[in-house]
Amino acid sequence: MSRRSLIATSALGLAAPALVAGATFADRPASAAAGATQRITIYAEALPGGLFGYGLAPGAATVPGPILEIWEGDTLEITLVNTTTQRLSIHPHGVDYSTDSDGSPLNASYNNPGETRTYVWRSREMIAATGRRFMPGSAGYWHYHDHAMGTDHGTAGIARGLYGALIVRRRGDILPERQFTVVFNDMMINNRMAPDTPMFEANLGQRVEWIAIGHGGTFHTFHLHAHRWADNRTGMLEGPADPSLVIDNKDLNPGSSFGFQVLAGEGVGPGVWMYHCHVQSHSDGGMVGLFLVRNADGSMPAGAEEAIHRFQGHSHSTAAHQAHGD
Amino acid sequence: MSRRSLIATSALGLAAPALVAGATFADRPASAAAGATQRITIYAEALPGGLFGYGLAPGAATVPGPILEIWEGDTLEITLVNTTTQRLSIHPHGVDYSTDSDGSPLNASYNNPGETRTYVWRSREMIAATGRRFMPGSAGYWHYHDHAMGTDHGTAGIARGLYGALIVRRRGDILPERQFTVVFNDMMINNRMAPDTPMFEANLGQRVEWIAIGHGGTFHTFHLHAHRWADNRTGMLEGPADPSLVIDNKDLNPGSSFGFQVLAGEGVGPGVWMYHCHVQSHSDGGMVGLFLVRNADGSMPAGAEEAIHRFQGHSHSTAAHQAHGD
Amino acid sequence: MSRRSLIATSALGLAAPALVAGATFADRPASAAAGATQRITIYAEALPGGLFGYGLAPGAATVPGPILEIWEGDTLEITLVNTTTQRLSIHPHGVDYSTDSDGSPLNASYNNPGETRTYVWRSREMIAATGRRFMPGSAGYWHYHDHAMGTDHGTAGIARGLYGALIVRRRGDILPERQFTVVFNDMMINNRMAPDTPMFEANLGQRVEWIAIGHGGTFHTFHLHAHRWADNRTGMLEGPADPSLVIDNKDLNPGSSFGFQVLAGEGVGPGVWMYHCHVQSHSDGGMVGLFLVRNADGSMPAGAEEAIHRFQGHSHSTAAHQAHGD
């Protein structure tokens, strides 16, 4: 998973230290883009097993698709290449777009089979309103998905893997060292069931970002063992007086998304920690995966191998996991 | 929809500029009402198609009922006239009421067929508690509904249309230019299914207030295309440091309500935007409606007619929509 | 319910006034426990009717289990005695624990039948991060439950009563006079259905703390009549500018918990108030209970007896309720 995010980060220029507007947003007109326009090409492709995926290069499609990141104020111009035989589109949450980038059949905004089409997603900082209030900016842990395959709401496209995470960062936000996308989609996680669900990995103390997305037709709650977060924009408290709820379990229903950062194993130590849907029949049915927190030097912590073997119900080498996780 | 809200606004005197207590609430006794008592009569009536509605005049019942608004500190005295042959009541969320205004059979608080009964809803500003904390005041996007028809929880009354929005405003709150009530009630929106769901309308840049209410027996998520809001009391950020989540998709389950204001088409332009339940089988099944953002001068934006026709699946004139929307 | 909480309070030393670190948390290492270690023994026992419970003494198991409380920074060391013939464990939300206190079969952390095992739960205050942000501390309204009976997720243990509330308080938090634990577990409240659901009691004006927990496999919304709270850490506003939503209805889905304090009957007077799931089929099916707010002197308010009798559908004396409630 971190593999894919690094690609995305590189593609979108996040590696460059982009610092920081401060409180200057109020004296810019709302329509002015604060920053740069990033241009990427996304390939929608058929995958084995009846799945479909988005990818940043031909043959690179994955489920979920790549993590897309921009700074608040920037514009993302996406050339979507539909390599499939199905009608499909890409529809974002949280950002600004005209009707022709809506990604919906309602607005005739989709790719026919084999068609290439450009979608423009803009973002902006908060806008001062009257009464010392602000119309919200675009910063957030959002997501994107198909809105045209199967039905006018993209029900078949979503069911078969056409979704991914979209992050709009505010200047000054803390950048993570690792990123994981977790999509609860009907009774699956990233269209997989245990023990084939993703095992995410980090070293003790690394700053890890989780982006959780809900899809499909069933209700879910996302739970992570031994870590917690604030139920606000960043998942961290914005100051000692931030009143936000601190939680380790949150509703994750269709169309919703949230994100947060934790320090891997902070206060609890390394080991194998579960993330799962807390609806009992869902976790029992396979909506569970592993978060492997390695020792700070990257070595396996005591007991981790045994836990992984218990989870998988068959022998599986550590090396193989490393290959998957990095 | 704005039609009904204007009626309500007029009835409750919101047009008058009511300014503003400031931070004086701490030195008033909690039991003292800050302001005026508004007295209205609501008629519960049978409607065609087996529906029931509340209205502010005989023969004026609608589904949902009128938007009721008061200032925090005010009292609303409702004379409920039951013109039907069913036991029914009116039960509010968010405000203060004695057991005899509970609206529940438990407290023998309901109207028998043909009966007239008065319900008193009070509101109050926040109360200072120890430790620099405050017991919450009544300000919020609330709702009201029957609690007596069919079962002791009003299940039949709610299923058949006896519900509406209740807004308690804090002094200083920004007033909207348009108001829409959206009720996800079982598999319907305002007891209608697409393409007969409400088409809400505003001109580009108008300040539009959405009040979303959940009812019935199924889970839902409310999504609005191309607009977003803060997940707090007003839907706007209360300052640059407000840590609230910014969202465009929110759980809308039975008994819950929330509200927010957007500037119609701000940053995205005019056009036809969907609002829908994001549970895929629900949107596919008809839980979707349109938000028509006209040009600033009220004219139809390019492509809007076509989108509306696509949605309706048959020819339908713009003039007819205008008559519905204003 | 207050009966159980008083036991827990006594066991955990909450009666002692433990005051207050203030803003010193930033200069303490994250790994340092701020305070004391509380040591308790919990007995997991079989109960009549196929239920199981946790208790603080042999023969004292209840459903839900005792309310456990610690101050943020303290450690709770639990010796769990499994007196049953089933594999079981105790798994907490919100606090810190090593893999061997995870309570999960994944980490081989459970009690075999008849086995005694120690679980250590630590807590900590918020930690300063870069950018004037803070990694959240442990303070919150959490819960604990079995994670090993029946399935690797404790589905049978939870279904049969192995759950309870866990509160981590921040220095300076306001302490309540009464505490109620409400667990929506499948179609039951505290594994009971109306009219056998708990009737909670308080005198007018008493500070009452509700801890609401969701479990099982169905979705729910928790509604309390005539009282409201802020949707933040404490349920109270942290200042006049706290932007939190104020609500009286909240999603209560499996694995989630929240808590809040109200002043019983404040602004609405004494009487019998319902709390219930607002999913209509659930309330109609028995997910409803009573909150009896007595007069300030403890006497029964007018109409309360009648309401209770209506609820129970049969004669039941006040004295019996008093015995249950205190």
Side-chain angles (χ1 to χ4, degrees):
Chain A
M1 305 302 114
S2 51
R3 174 173 50 87
R4 286 205 307 276
S5 70
L6 290 175
I7 291 170
T9 299
S10 167
L12 300 181
L14 247 192
L19 286 168
V20 176
T24 66
F25 48 82
D27 48 43
R28 273 209 306 265
S31 55
T37 295
Q38 311 279 358
R39 287 181 185 82
I40 58 174
T41 300
I42 294 184
Y43 300 83
E45 302 181 326
L47 294 171
L51 297 180
F52 290 83
Y54 297 112
L56 291 167
T62 50
V63 178
I67 299 175
L68 304 179
E69 295 192 23
I70 59 173
W71 289 103
E72 198 177 37
D74 289 357
T75 291
L76 190 56
E77 192 179 297
I78 297 172
T79 299
L80 180 66
V81 181
N82 182 2
T83 72
T84 81
T85 60
Q86 308 285 316
R87 182 184 80 169
L88 55 76
S89 73
I90 189 164
H91 165 78
H93 283 242
V95 290
D96 298 340
Y97 48 85
S98 307
T99 51
D100 58 2
S101 289
D102 188 29
S104 72
L106 176 79
N107 281 310
S109 169
Y110 56 83
N111 297 47
N112 280 311
E115 192 184 1
T116 294
R117 183 187 175 96
T118 298
Y119 298 80
V120 180
W121 302 347
R122 299 182 301 277
S123 69
R124 58 188 150 122
E125 295 169 340
M126 61 179 83
I127 306 167
T130 55
R132 285 185 295 184
R133 292 208 174 80
F134 294 83
M135 304 309 288
S138 311
Y141 291 100
W142 305 104
H143 60 112
Y144 61 87
H145 60 85
D146 173 56
H147 207 305
M149 187 188 291
T151 77
D152 283 358
H153 291 273
T155 300
I158 292 168
R160 298 167 81 174
L162 287 174
Y163 50 73
L166 167 64
I167 304 176
V168 181
R169 295 200 192 271
R170 187 158 292 161
R171 317 286 156 166
D173 280 355
I174 305 174
L175 300 184
E177 295 167 271
R178 282 276 186 282
Q179 292 177 296
F180 309 140
T181 303
V182 179
V183 183
F184 282 11
N185 190 17
D186 284 330
M187 299 299 286
M188 295 179 290
I189 298 176
N190 297 3
N191 275 62
R192 293 193 263 168
M193 297 175 71
D196 295 323
T197 44
M199 181 169 79
F200 301 115
E201 300 193 26
N203 293 346
L204 183 68
Q206 280 189 315
R207 179 172 288 272
V208 168
E209 183 168 73
W210 296 74
I211 308 107
I213 300 166
H215 269 309
T218 30
F219 89 104
H220 300 290
T221 58
F222 172 86
H223 175 50
L224 175 60
H225 279 227
H227 298 77
R228 61 185 168 262
W229 64 93
D231 191 17
N232 62 14
R233 181 182 71 84
T234 62
M236 287 170 276
L237 297 171
E238 297 292 300
D242 184 339
S244 301
L245 275 167
V246 173
I247 55 177
D248 66 6
N249 196 83
K250 186 175 161 82
D251 294 326
L252 186 55
N253 291 323
S256 288
S257 60
F258 59 90
F260 59 90
Q261 295 178 3
V262 297
L263 303 177
E266 172 72 22
V268 301
V272 177
W273 302 107
M274 275 182 277
Y275 65 92
H276 61 83
C277 181
H278 214 295
V279 178
Q280 294 296 133
S281 56
H282 298 189
S283 51
D284 289 344
M287 292 192 71
V288 53
L290 300 186
F291 176 32
L292 169 59
V293 179
R294 293 171 172 272
N295 296 319
D297 63 3
S299 62
M300 283 292 275
E305 291 277 12
E306 294 82 345
I308 293 167
H309 291 181
R310 265 179 230 118
F311 181 74
Q312 299 187 325
H314 63 84
S315 175
H316 197 299
S317 83
T318 303
H321 291 299
Q322 273 187 289
H324 277 267
D326 296 81
Chain B
M1 308 300 114
S2 50
R3 175 172 50 88
R4 287 205 307 278
S5 70
L6 291 175
I7 292 170
T9 300
S10 166
L12 301 181
L14 248 190
L19 290 165
V20 179
T24 65
F25 48 80
D27 47 42
R28 275 211 304 268
S31 56
T37 295
Q38 310 279 359
R39 288 182 184 83
I40 58 172
T41 300
I42 293 184
Y43 300 82
E45 302 181 327
L47 293 170
L51 297 180
F52 289 83
Y54 297 112
L56 291 168
T62 50
V63 177
I67 300 175
L68 304 179
E69 296 192 22
I70 59 173
W71 289 103
E72 200 176 37
D74 289 356
T75 291
L76 189 56
E77 192 179 300
I78 297 172
T79 300
L80 179 66
V81 181
N82 182 1
T83 71
T84 81
T85 60
Q86 307 285 315
R87 182 183 79 169
L88 55 75
S89 73
I90 189 164
H91 166 78
H93 283 241
V95 291
D96 297 341
Y97 48 84
S98 306
T99 50
D100 58 3
S101 290
D102 188 27
S104 73
L106 176 79
N107 280 312
S109 169
Y110 57 83
N111 296 47
N112 280 312
E115 191 183 2
T116 294
R117 184 187 174 96
T118 298
Y119 298 81
V120 180
W121 302 348
R122 298 181 302 276
S123 70
R124 59 189 151 121
E125 295 169 338
M126 61 180 80
I127 306 167
T130 56
R132 286 186 292 184
R133 290 208 176 83
F134 293 82
M135 305 308 288
S138 310
Y141 290 101
W142 305 101
H143 61 112
Y144 61 88
H145 61 84
D146 172 57
H147 208 305
M149 187 189 290
T151 78
D152 283 359
H153 292 272
T155 299
I158 291 169
R160 298 168 82 174
L162 288 173
Y163 50 72
L166 167 65
I167 304 175
V168 181
R169 294 200 192 274
R170 186 158 293 161
R171 316 286 157 167
D173 280 355
I174 305 175
L175 301 185
E177 295 168 90
R178 283 274 185 283
Q179 292 176 297
F180 309 139
T181 304
V182 178
V183 183
F184 282 10
N185 189 17
D186 285 328
M187 297 301 284
M188 295 178 289
I189 299 176
N190 297 5
N191 276 63
R192 293 194 263 170
M193 298 174 71
D196 296 323
T197 43
M199 181 170 77
F200 301 114
E201 301 192 26
N203 293 345
L204 183 67
Q206 281 191 314
R207 180 171 285 272
V208 168
E209 184 167 75
W210 295 74
I211 308 106
I213 301 166
H215 270 307
T218 30
F219 90 104
H220 300 291
T221 58
F222 172 88
H223 174 49
L224 174 60
H225 279 228
H227 298 77
R228 59 186 171 264
W229 64 93
D231 193 17
N232 62 13
R233 182 182 71 84
T234 62
M236 289 170 274
L237 296 171
E238 298 290 302
D242 185 338
S244 300
L245 276 168
V246 173
I247 56 176
D248 66 5
N249 197 83
K250 186 176 161 80
D251 294 325
L252 185 56
N253 290 324
S256 286
S257 60
F258 60 89
F260 59 89
Q261 295 178 2
V262 296
L263 302 177
E266 171 73 20
V268 301
V272 177
W273 303 106
M274 275 182 278
Y275 66 92
H276 61 84
C277 181
H278 213 297
V279 178
Q280 295 296 131
S281 56
H282 297 190
S283 50
D284 288 342
M287 290 191 73
V288 53
L290 300 185
F291 176 32
L292 168 59
V293 180
R294 293 170 172 271
N295 296 319
D297 64 3
S299 61
M300 284 292 276
E305 291 276 11
E306 293 83 345
I308 293 168
H309 290 182
R310 263 179 231 117
F311 183 74
Q312 298 188 326
H314 63 85
S315 175
H316 197 300
S317 83
T318 305
H321 292 299
Q322 273 186 288
H324 278 267
D326 297 81
Chain C
M1 307 302 114
S2 51
R3 176 171 48 87
R4 288 206 307 275
S5 70
L6 291 174
I7 291 169
T9 301
S10 165
L12 300 181
L14 247 192
L19 288 166
V20 176
T24 65
F25 48 82
D27 45 46
R28 273 210 306 263
S31 56
T37 295
Q38 310 279 359
R39 287 182 186 83
I40 58 173
T41 300
I42 293 184
Y43 299 83
E45 301 180 328
L47 293 171
L51 297 180
F52 290 83
Y54 297 112
L56 291 168
T62 50
V63 177
I67 298 175
L68 303 180
E69 295 192 21
I70 59 173
W71 290 102
E72 199 178 36
D74 289 357
T75 292
L76 189 57
E77 192 179 300
I78 297 172
T79 301
L80 178 66
V81 182
N82 181 2
T83 71
T84 81
T85 59
Q86 308 285 316
R87 181 184 82 169
L88 55 79
S89 74
I90 189 164
H91 166 77
H93 283 241
V95 291
D96 297 340
Y97 49 86
S98 307
T99 49
D100 58 3
S101 290
D102 189 30
S104 73
L106 175 80
N107 280 311
S109 170
Y110 57 82
N111 297 49
N112 280 312
E115 192 185 0
T116 294
R117 184 186 175 97
T118 298
Y119 299 81
V120 179
W121 303 346
R122 298 181 300 277
S123 69
R124 58 188 151 121
E125 294 169 342
M126 61 180 80
I127 306 167
T130 55
R132 285 183 295 185
R133 290 208 175 81
F134 293 82
M135 304 308 288
S138 311
Y141 290 100
W142 304 102
H143 61 113
Y144 60 88
H145 61 84
D146 172 56
H147 207 306
M149 187 188 290
T151 77
D152 282 359
H153 291 274
T155 299
I158 291 169
R160 297 168 82 172
L162 287 173
Y163 50 73
L166 167 65
I167 303 174
V168 180
R169 296 202 191 270
R170 187 158 292 160
R171 317 286 156 168
D173 279 355
I174 305 175
L175 300 185
E177 295 168 270
R178 284 274 186 281
Q179 292 176 298
F180 310 139
T181 304
V182 178
V183 183
F184 282 9
N185 190 16
D186 285 327
M187 298 300 283
M188 295 178 289
I189 300 177
N190 297 4
N191 276 61
R192 293 192 263 169
M193 296 175 71
D196 296 323
T197 44
M199 182 170 78
F200 300 115
E201 300 192 28
N203 293 346
L204 183 67
Q206 282 191 315
R207 180 172 285 273
V208 167
E209 184 167 72
W210 295 74
I211 307 105
I213 301 165
H215 270 307
T218 31
F219 89 104
H220 300 291
T221 57
F222 172 87
H223 175 49
L224 174 60
H225 278 227
H227 297 77
R228 60 187 170 261
W229 64 94
D231 192 18
N232 62 13
R233 182 183 70 84
T234 62
M236 287 169 275
L237 296 171
E238 297 291 301
D242 184 337
S244 301
L245 275 169
V246 173
I247 55 176
D248 66 4
N249 197 82
K250 187 177 161 80
D251 292 327
L252 185 56
N253 291 325
S256 287
S257 59
F258 60 89
F260 59 89
Q261 295 178 3
V262 296
L263 303 177
E266 173 71 22
V268 300
V272 177
W273 303 106
M274 275 182 278
Y275 66 92
H276 61 85
C277 181
H278 212 298
V279 178
Q280 295 296 133
S281 56
H282 297 188
S283 49
D284 289 343
M287 290 192 72
V288 52
L290 300 185
F291 176 32
L292 169 59
V293 179
R294 293 170 173 270
N295 296 319
D297 64 2
S299 61
M300 284 292 273
E305 291 275 12
E306 293 83 347
I308 293 167
H309 290 182
R310 264 179 231 119
F311 181 74
Q312 298 187 326
H314 63 82
S315 174
H316 197 301
S317 81
T318 304
H321 291 299
Q322 275 188 287
H324 278 267
D326 297 80

